Amino acid sequence: MSGDNSLTMEYDHGRKGAAFQAFLNSSDEHLTMKRFIDQHFPDVLASMLTPEIDTLKCLGIGCGEGQPDRQMVRQMIKVFKHVDYLATEPSSNLISTFKECVKAERDLDAAAFSFDATTADEFLNSNPGNKYHFITMSQMLFYVNDFRKCIRSYYDLLEDGGVLFIIHLSGTSGWQKLWWEKLLPTVLKGTETDLTTGKEIEDELKSGSYNYSKTTRESLINFEEVFKESDAGFLLLDFVSNVENSDTAFSGNERVELLEYIKEKCCRVVNGKIYFDNSQDYFIVRK
């Protein structure tokens, strides 16, 4: 198998889109996020509640279609009189879907949404110095040039007492084992900056002496189709391995060895079905 980095998913956006959809169809990630936000986010908001905050100024980075963002806003409007939420997302299609959802979901009317089709790095370059009480990053630190700098820069945009909320793949998940232990020495060699997990994020938060807490929540991906080697399974394997065209990128023996490793090290069996460990880390960083 070639170590050519052109194999990585970063370089094939059409295939990547289909692979991402296969992931969404097989994962309970959004449900896991919703449960965490419903159960724990009210405590985060209560800790921010001060007489000085009349309007809660919020910034979402790399929001996608905004599922967790909208869920958080539902909690915010229960606590704060005014909520201003600026959602940034470089994909025009995803941000359009976010806008349509806000229009359709009438329970969000009490919040003021604005949108900016920009990347995390571009926003930092164009921001006129605005500060925010709350900034969220959900599964987006893969897509920045330097995740450490990104965390530092957005932390600096917080008002005193503000919160940076990071949701990311756990450092104990199957992703960490598959990427860093199995694939990085070969096919993913040289792509370390694309393979950030909660382990690397926590290392940065510790070294920077940030005031943070971390909660890990179990999430699972149904991996049955991967082991059946169906078309949908290969798309899902593309997404999880970060290698495009996994049906041909791995030779027959390599694929057998890879699937054996995934089954043994990255999965568990629930009710007779094989699930990939998609556990999530939730970081609350306070300024």
Short mmCIF file of all heavy atoms in Angstrom, two decimals, residues 222-256:
data_model
loop_
_atom_site.label_atom_id
_atom_site.label_comp_id
_atom_site.label_asym_id
_atom_site.label_seq_id
_atom_site.Cartn_x
_atom_site.Cartn_y
_atom_site.Cartn_z
N ASN A 222 -22.60 2.08 14.03
CA ASN A 222 -22.91 0.72 13.60
C ASN A 222 -21.97 0.35 12.45
O ASN A 222 -22.01 0.94 11.37
CB ASN A 222 -24.37 0.64 13.14
CG ASN A 222 -24.81 -0.78 12.84
OD1 ASN A 222 -24.03 -1.59 12.37
ND2 ASN A 222 -26.07 -1.08 13.10
N PHE A 223 -21.12 -0.66 12.69
CA PHE A 223 -20.07 -1.02 11.72
C PHE A 223 -20.39 -2.32 10.98
O PHE A 223 -19.52 -2.89 10.33
CB PHE A 223 -18.73 -1.14 12.45
CG PHE A 223 -17.68 -0.19 11.95
CD1 PHE A 223 -17.95 1.16 11.79
CD2 PHE A 223 -16.40 -0.63 11.63
CE1 PHE A 223 -16.99 2.04 11.32
CE2 PHE A 223 -15.42 0.23 11.16
CZ PHE A 223 -15.72 1.57 11.01
N GLU A 224 -21.62 -2.76 11.05
CA GLU A 224 -21.99 -4.02 10.42
C GLU A 224 -21.70 -4.00 8.91
O GLU A 224 -21.19 -4.97 8.35
CB GLU A 224 -23.47 -4.32 10.66
CG GLU A 224 -23.79 -4.76 12.08
CD GLU A 224 -23.30 -6.16 12.38
OE1 GLU A 224 -23.76 -7.11 11.73
OE2 GLU A 224 -22.42 -6.29 13.26
N GLU A 225 -22.03 -2.88 8.24
CA GLU A 225 -21.84 -2.81 6.79
C GLU A 225 -20.37 -2.84 6.41
O GLU A 225 -20.01 -3.33 5.33
CB GLU A 225 -22.52 -1.55 6.23
CG GLU A 225 -24.03 -1.58 6.28
CD GLU A 225 -24.63 -2.72 5.47
OE1 GLU A 225 -24.13 -2.99 4.36
OE2 GLU A 225 -25.58 -3.35 5.97
N VAL A 226 -19.52 -2.33 7.28
CA VAL A 226 -18.08 -2.36 7.00
C VAL A 226 -17.60 -3.81 6.93
O VAL A 226 -16.86 -4.19 6.01
CB VAL A 226 -17.30 -1.59 8.08
CG1 VAL A 226 -15.79 -1.77 7.89
CG2 VAL A 226 -17.66 -0.11 8.04
N PHE A 227 -18.03 -4.62 7.87
CA PHE A 227 -17.58 -6.01 7.90
C PHE A 227 -18.27 -6.87 6.84
O PHE A 227 -17.77 -7.94 6.49
CB PHE A 227 -17.75 -6.58 9.30
CG PHE A 227 -16.79 -5.99 10.29
CD1 PHE A 227 -17.19 -4.97 11.14
CD2 PHE A 227 -15.46 -6.41 10.33
CE1 PHE A 227 -16.30 -4.40 12.03
CE2 PHE A 227 -14.56 -5.85 11.21
CZ PHE A 227 -14.98 -4.84 12.07
N LYS A 228 -19.39 -6.38 6.30
CA LYS A 228 -20.01 -7.04 5.14
C LYS A 228 -19.32 -6.65 3.85
O LYS A 228 -19.55 -7.26 2.80
CB LYS A 228 -21.49 -6.66 5.05
CG LYS A 228 -22.35 -7.21 6.18
CD LYS A 228 -23.80 -6.70 6.04
CE LYS A 228 -24.67 -7.19 7.17
NZ LYS A 228 -26.05 -6.63 7.09
N GLU A 229 -18.48 -5.59 3.91
CA GLU A 229 -17.76 -5.04 2.75
C GLU A 229 -18.73 -4.64 1.65
O GLU A 229 -18.50 -4.88 0.46
CB GLU A 229 -16.70 -6.03 2.25
CG GLU A 229 -15.67 -6.36 3.31
CD GLU A 229 -14.44 -7.09 2.79
OE1 GLU A 229 -13.98 -6.74 1.69
OE2 GLU A 229 -13.95 -8.00 3.47
N SER A 230 -19.82 -4.00 2.05
CA SER A 230 -20.80 -3.46 1.10
C SER A 230 -20.34 -2.08 0.62
O SER A 230 -19.37 -1.51 1.15
CB SER A 230 -22.16 -3.33 1.76
OG SER A 230 -22.11 -2.35 2.81
N ASP A 231 -21.03 -1.52 -0.37
CA ASP A 231 -20.68 -0.18 -0.85
C ASP A 231 -20.80 0.84 0.28
O ASP A 231 -19.92 1.70 0.45
CB ASP A 231 -21.60 0.22 -2.01
CG ASP A 231 -21.32 -0.59 -3.28
OD1 ASP A 231 -20.24 -1.21 -3.37
OD2 ASP A 231 -22.18 -0.59 -4.18
N ALA A 232 -21.89 0.75 1.04
CA ALA A 232 -22.07 1.67 2.16
C ALA A 232 -20.97 1.46 3.21
O ALA A 232 -20.49 2.41 3.83
CB ALA A 232 -23.44 1.48 2.79
N GLY A 233 -20.57 0.20 3.38
CA GLY A 233 -19.51 -0.10 4.34
C GLY A 233 -18.18 0.48 3.95
O GLY A 233 -17.44 1.00 4.79
N PHE A 234 -17.85 0.43 2.65
CA PHE A 234 -16.59 1.01 2.20
C PHE A 234 -16.60 2.53 2.34
O PHE A 234 -15.58 3.15 2.67
CB PHE A 234 -16.29 0.60 0.76
CG PHE A 234 -15.74 -0.79 0.64
CD1 PHE A 234 -16.37 -1.74 -0.15
CD2 PHE A 234 -14.58 -1.15 1.31
CE1 PHE A 234 -15.86 -3.02 -0.26
CE2 PHE A 234 -14.06 -2.44 1.21
CZ PHE A 234 -14.71 -3.38 0.42
N LEU A 235 -17.74 3.16 2.09
CA LEU A 235 -17.84 4.61 2.32
C LEU A 235 -17.59 4.95 3.79
O LEU A 235 -16.88 5.90 4.11
CB LEU A 235 -19.21 5.13 1.88
CG LEU A 235 -19.43 5.31 0.39
CD1 LEU A 235 -20.90 5.63 0.11
CD2 LEU A 235 -18.53 6.40 -0.18
N LEU A 236 -18.17 4.15 4.67
CA LEU A 236 -17.98 4.39 6.09
C LEU A 236 -16.53 4.15 6.49
O LEU A 236 -15.96 4.90 7.29
CB LEU A 236 -18.92 3.47 6.89
CG LEU A 236 -18.94 3.65 8.41
CD1 LEU A 236 -19.22 5.10 8.79
CD2 LEU A 236 -20.00 2.73 9.02
N LEU A 237 -15.91 3.13 5.92
CA LEU A 237 -14.50 2.87 6.19
C LEU A 237 -13.64 4.01 5.66
O LEU A 237 -12.65 4.39 6.30
CB LEU A 237 -14.08 1.54 5.57
CG LEU A 237 -12.64 1.09 5.86
CD1 LEU A 237 -12.41 0.95 7.36
CD2 LEU A 237 -12.33 -0.23 5.13
N ASP A 238 -13.99 4.56 4.50
CA ASP A 238 -13.31 5.76 4.00
C ASP A 238 -13.28 6.84 5.07
O ASP A 238 -12.23 7.43 5.38
CB ASP A 238 -14.04 6.34 2.78
CG ASP A 238 -13.74 5.63 1.48
OD1 ASP A 238 -13.15 4.53 1.51
OD2 ASP A 238 -14.11 6.17 0.43
N PHE A 239 -14.47 7.11 5.62
CA PHE A 239 -14.60 8.23 6.56
C PHE A 239 -13.83 7.98 7.85
O PHE A 239 -13.10 8.86 8.33
CB PHE A 239 -16.08 8.47 6.87
CG PHE A 239 -16.32 9.70 7.68
CD1 PHE A 239 -16.30 10.96 7.08
CD2 PHE A 239 -16.54 9.63 9.05
CE1 PHE A 239 -16.50 12.11 7.83
CE2 PHE A 239 -16.73 10.77 9.80
CZ PHE A 239 -16.71 12.02 9.19
N VAL A 240 -13.96 6.79 8.39
CA VAL A 240 -13.33 6.50 9.67
C VAL A 240 -11.81 6.38 9.55
O VAL A 240 -11.06 6.82 10.42
CB VAL A 240 -13.95 5.23 10.29
CG1 VAL A 240 -13.18 4.79 11.52
CG2 VAL A 240 -15.41 5.49 10.64
N SER A 241 -11.34 5.79 8.45
CA SER A 241 -9.89 5.62 8.27
C SER A 241 -9.22 6.88 7.73
O SER A 241 -7.99 7.01 7.81
CB SER A 241 -9.62 4.45 7.31
OG SER A 241 -10.06 4.77 6.00
N ASN A 242 -10.01 7.81 7.19
CA ASN A 242 -9.50 9.01 6.53
C ASN A 242 -8.71 8.66 5.26
O ASN A 242 -7.81 9.37 4.85
CB ASN A 242 -8.62 9.85 7.47
CG ASN A 242 -8.61 11.32 7.09
OD1 ASN A 242 -9.62 11.87 6.67
ND2 ASN A 242 -7.46 11.97 7.22
N VAL A 243 -9.09 7.54 4.64
CA VAL A 243 -8.46 7.09 3.40
C VAL A 243 -9.55 6.90 2.35
O VAL A 243 -10.49 6.13 2.55
CB VAL A 243 -7.71 5.75 3.60
CG1 VAL A 243 -7.14 5.25 2.28
CG2 VAL A 243 -6.60 5.91 4.63
N GLU A 244 -9.43 7.62 1.23
CA GLU A 244 -10.46 7.51 0.21
C GLU A 244 -10.34 6.20 -0.56
O GLU A 244 -9.27 5.60 -0.65
CB GLU A 244 -10.39 8.69 -0.76
CG GLU A 244 -9.14 8.71 -1.61
CD GLU A 244 -9.22 9.73 -2.74
OE1 GLU A 244 -10.22 9.72 -3.47
OE2 GLU A 244 -8.27 10.51 -2.89
N ASN A 245 -11.48 5.77 -1.14
CA ASN A 245 -11.51 4.56 -1.95
C ASN A 245 -10.86 3.38 -1.21
O ASN A 245 -9.99 2.69 -1.75
CB ASN A 245 -10.82 4.79 -3.29
CG ASN A 245 -11.52 5.85 -4.12
OD1 ASN A 245 -12.75 5.85 -4.23
ND2 ASN A 245 -10.75 6.77 -4.68
N SER A 246 -11.31 3.18 0.02
CA SER A 246 -10.70 2.12 0.84
C SER A 246 -10.90 0.74 0.24
O SER A 246 -10.16 -0.19 0.57
CB SER A 246 -11.27 2.17 2.26
OG SER A 246 -12.69 2.05 2.24
N ASP A 247 -11.88 0.60 -0.66
CA ASP A 247 -12.11 -0.71 -1.28
C ASP A 247 -10.95 -1.10 -2.19
O ASP A 247 -10.70 -2.30 -2.40
CB ASP A 247 -13.43 -0.71 -2.07
CG ASP A 247 -13.53 0.42 -3.06
OD1 ASP A 247 -12.81 1.44 -2.91
OD2 ASP A 247 -14.34 0.32 -4.00
N THR A 248 -10.24 -0.11 -2.74
CA THR A 248 -9.09 -0.40 -3.61
C THR A 248 -7.76 0.07 -3.02
O THR A 248 -6.70 -0.42 -3.41
CB THR A 248 -9.27 0.26 -4.99
OG1 THR A 248 -9.47 1.67 -4.82
CG2 THR A 248 -10.48 -0.33 -5.71
N ALA A 249 -7.81 1.03 -2.09
CA ALA A 249 -6.57 1.56 -1.50
C ALA A 249 -5.84 0.50 -0.69
O ALA A 249 -4.60 0.50 -0.63
CB ALA A 249 -6.87 2.77 -0.63
N PHE A 250 -6.59 -0.39 -0.05
CA PHE A 250 -6.00 -1.49 0.70
C PHE A 250 -6.08 -2.77 -0.12
O PHE A 250 -7.15 -3.09 -0.66
CB PHE A 250 -6.73 -1.70 2.03
CG PHE A 250 -6.68 -0.52 2.96
CD1 PHE A 250 -7.76 0.36 3.05
CD2 PHE A 250 -5.56 -0.27 3.74
CE1 PHE A 250 -7.73 1.44 3.91
CE2 PHE A 250 -5.52 0.81 4.61
CZ PHE A 250 -6.60 1.67 4.69
N SER A 251 -4.98 -3.49 -0.22
CA SER A 251 -5.03 -4.79 -0.90
C SER A 251 -5.88 -5.75 -0.08
O SER A 251 -6.24 -5.47 1.07
CB SER A 251 -3.61 -5.35 -1.04
OG SER A 251 -3.10 -5.72 0.23
N GLY A 252 -6.19 -6.90 -0.67
CA GLY A 252 -7.05 -7.86 0.02
C GLY A 252 -6.52 -8.24 1.39
O GLY A 252 -7.24 -8.20 2.40
N ASN A 253 -5.24 -8.60 1.48
CA ASN A 253 -4.65 -8.99 2.76
C ASN A 253 -4.58 -7.81 3.73
O ASN A 253 -4.80 -7.98 4.94
CB ASN A 253 -3.26 -9.58 2.54
CG ASN A 253 -3.30 -10.94 1.87
OD1 ASN A 253 -4.31 -11.64 1.94
ND2 ASN A 253 -2.21 -11.32 1.23
N GLU A 254 -4.24 -6.64 3.21
CA GLU A 254 -4.19 -5.45 4.06
C GLU A 254 -5.55 -5.13 4.65
O GLU A 254 -5.66 -4.76 5.82
CB GLU A 254 -3.67 -4.26 3.26
CG GLU A 254 -2.20 -4.31 2.94
CD GLU A 254 -1.77 -3.17 2.01
OE1 GLU A 254 -2.61 -2.70 1.21
OE2 GLU A 254 -0.61 -2.75 2.10
N ARG A 255 -6.58 -5.27 3.83
CA ARG A 255 -7.93 -4.97 4.30
C ARG A 255 -8.37 -5.98 5.37
O ARG A 255 -8.97 -5.60 6.38
CB ARG A 255 -8.92 -4.96 3.14
CG ARG A 255 -10.30 -4.44 3.54
CD ARG A 255 -11.12 -4.03 2.34
NE ARG A 255 -11.43 -5.12 1.46
CZ ARG A 255 -10.92 -5.28 0.22
NH1 ARG A 255 -10.06 -4.40 -0.25
NH2 ARG A 255 -11.26 -6.30 -0.53
N VAL A 256 -8.05 -7.24 5.17
CA VAL A 256 -8.38 -8.26 6.18
C VAL A 256 -7.68 -7.93 7.49
O VAL A 256 -8.30 -7.97 8.57
CB VAL A 256 -7.96 -9.66 5.68
CG1 VAL A 256 -8.03 -10.68 6.83
CG2 VAL A 256 -8.86 -10.10 4.54
#
